[in-house]
């Protein structure tokens, strides 16, 4: 069973919008940060957006002002509203959910399977 499940993605035209959602399994327990990274073949994975349980957010430099992250802590669910999409946003988007694990000094990120987002006319 997947620990982190992603939904959404697909094809959008330049200037259009898409929404991604991400659900962390209850089996993970208390979830810390949630968010997305994206990756294009041949390039490093880059931060898109992240959000703490308290609501603080961070965005990658290339998406600030266009993308909005939100989350519902009661459902271990996060959402990424992507507006004014550009062809450069084309990538596979990977959701993560951070969890504290016994014996670990730092949270462990569990990853979703990835969702393809394609922006093309």
């Amino acid at each position: 069973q997947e620990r982190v499940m992603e939904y959404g993605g697909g094809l959008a035209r330049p200037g259009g919008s898409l929404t991604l959602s991400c659900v962390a399994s209850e089996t993970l327990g208390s979830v810390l940060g949630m968010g997305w990274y994206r990756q294009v073949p041949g390039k490093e994975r880059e931060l898109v957006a992240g959000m703490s349980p308290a609501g603080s957010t961070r965005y990658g430099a290339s998406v600030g002002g266009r993308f909005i992250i939100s989350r519902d802590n009661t459902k271990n669910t996060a959402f990424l509203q992507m507006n004014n999409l550009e062809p450069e946003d084309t990538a596979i988007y990977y959701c993560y959910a951070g969890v504290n694990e016994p014996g670990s000094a730092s949270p462990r990120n569990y990853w979703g399977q990835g969702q393809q987002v394609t922006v093309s006319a």
Side-chain angles (χ1 to χ4, degrees):
Q1 180 182 359
E2 296 291 337
R3 302 280 188 101
V4 177
M5 295 151 285
E6 300 184 57
Y7 306 92
L11 176 65
R13 296 187 181 279
S17 298
L18 285 173
T19 299
L20 302 180
S21 58
C22 176
V23 181
S25 171
E26 292 181 352
T27 61
L28 291 177
S30 180
V31 175
L32 303 173
M34 293 185 72
W36 279 266
Y37 280 72
R38 68 186 183 187
Q39 190 166 25
V40 175
K43 295 187 177 181
E44 291 188 358
R45 191 174 289 193
E46 66 170 349
L47 172 70
V48 178
M51 191 170 191
S52 73
S56 62
T57 59
R58 56 178 183 149
Y59 292 94
S62 60
V63 306
R66 298 187 297 121
F67 291 9
I68 301 171
I69 188 171
S70 61
R71 62 187 284 178
D72 182 344
N73 292 332
T74 65
K75 298 180 179 179
N76 279 356
T77 300
F79 304 93
L80 184 67
Q81 176 68 39
M82 303 184 291
N83 301 314
N84 195 19
L85 284 162
E86 303 170 351
E88 292 73 23
D89 295 316
T90 297
I92 299 175
Y93 285 67
Y94 294 93
C95 176
Y96 70 89
V99 179
N100 278 328
E101 294 190 332
S104 177
S106 58
R108 173 184 173 180
N109 282 341
Y110 287 82
W111 296 90
Q113 76 278 17
Q115 289 287 310
Q116 176 70 48
V117 171
T118 302
V119 184
S120 175

